[in-house]
Amino acid sequence: MSDKTAFAVPGAAAELEEGSALTPKFDADGLVTCVATDATSGEVLMVAHMNNEALAKTIATGEAWYFSRSRGMLWRKGETSGHTQRVIEMRVDCDQDAVWIKVDQTIAACHTGRRSCFYRAVPLGRPGAVTLEFRDERAFDPKAVYRGKN
Amino acid sequence: MSDKTAFAVPGAAAELEEGSALTPKFDADGLVTCVATDATSGEVLMVAHMNNEALAKTIATGEAWYFSRSRGMLWRKGETSGHTQRVIEMRVDCDQDAVWIKVDQTIAACHTGRRSCFYRAVPLGRPGAVTLEFRDERAFDPKAVYRGKN
């Protein structure tokens, strides 16, 4: 597959849900949601977005590519930090607007230094303002890894 | 917490990422992304969205509530099918625009009848059009469960 190959246009619900063609339903910004989990532990590492090109590159190379909404650019996970994601398996959801990748994560996924971006728990069933509980230690020092880099 | 309680407005990146206040960063449509995983198997069951009220209700009740973009309404997971989600743990990500809930899922999460919405695999590294591979059998018959219901 060329990275430039456009996917076919999504059909009706029955085709999207029960068909065997990958026809991603990109949103108004041209993006699908991607959930990356640790292929070994099952932990959710991060939630990000892929445009047409990021999805095609991920499928073609088996390395995770995303589209950064804040920077407005295609982005190979780990290109600055070295913390790449090798994709072990990719799944697509019923209406083809989300993909799930199980990855072999180098060092850590989160730019804050934690293994997962989801390092804080939200207590349930307590009245009043919610106080988050930190659960994960840093796996690397972001100041050292991103020093002098964007 | 009242279901109507507004969360505090998100602060700067340092506060969002390292603070202990839950200040969700809702998007232009007033939504955050929610990933629901099976608390036992770790499987990703579904990706959906929560508005302010759905998030507050989920935190208050420990049952998953979502906001349906297609129907434009608040939605308690399982209110039609009976396939509810009891939330075992909730996490929030670094920039607080996504939450992860580990759930005890009754029967199945997907309206097509599968346990997970991610029942099709996307083969990697193959040139040409992508042919999806079905991985999961139906856990229920959607025609029977949703008969006469929207």
Side-chain angles (χ1 to χ4, degrees), chain A residues 23-40:
Chain A
T23 57
K25 212 169 70 180
F26 296 104
D27 70 9
D29 296 320
L31 303 174
V32 291
T33 303
C34 177
V35 180
T37 63
D38 186 301
T40 304

Side-chain angles (χ1 to χ4, degrees), chain B residues 53-116:
Chain B
E53 192 175 359
L55 181 59
K57 277 183 177 288
T58 302
I59 293 170
T61 66
E63 292 283 323
W65 286 77
Y66 297 103
F67 183 83
S68 167
R69 294 181 299 176
S70 57
R71 290 178 288 163
M73 59 181 287
L74 197 71
W75 157 56
R76 184 170 68 82
K77 176 65 181 166
E79 67 189 1
T80 300
S81 62
H83 304 161
T84 52
Q85 293 178 338
R86 188 166 62 87
V87 183
I88 307 300
E89 185 177 3
M90 178 183 281
R91 298 282 188 106
V92 65
D93 78 342
C94 45
D95 58 357
Q96 301 204 27
D97 65 357
V99 297
W100 165 24
I101 54 176
K102 303 178 193 180
V103 304
D104 180 3
Q105 171 71 57
T106 302
I107 310 291
C110 187
H111 75 288
T112 68
R114 283 88 171 190
R115 177 84 180 161
S116 162

Side-chain angles (χ1 to χ4, degrees), chain A residues 60-82:
Chain A
T61 66
E63 293 283 321
W65 287 76
Y66 297 103
F67 184 82
S68 168
R69 294 181 299 176
S70 57
R71 291 178 288 164
M73 60 181 285
L74 196 70
W75 157 56
R76 184 170 69 82
K77 176 66 183 167
E79 66 189 2
T80 300
S81 63

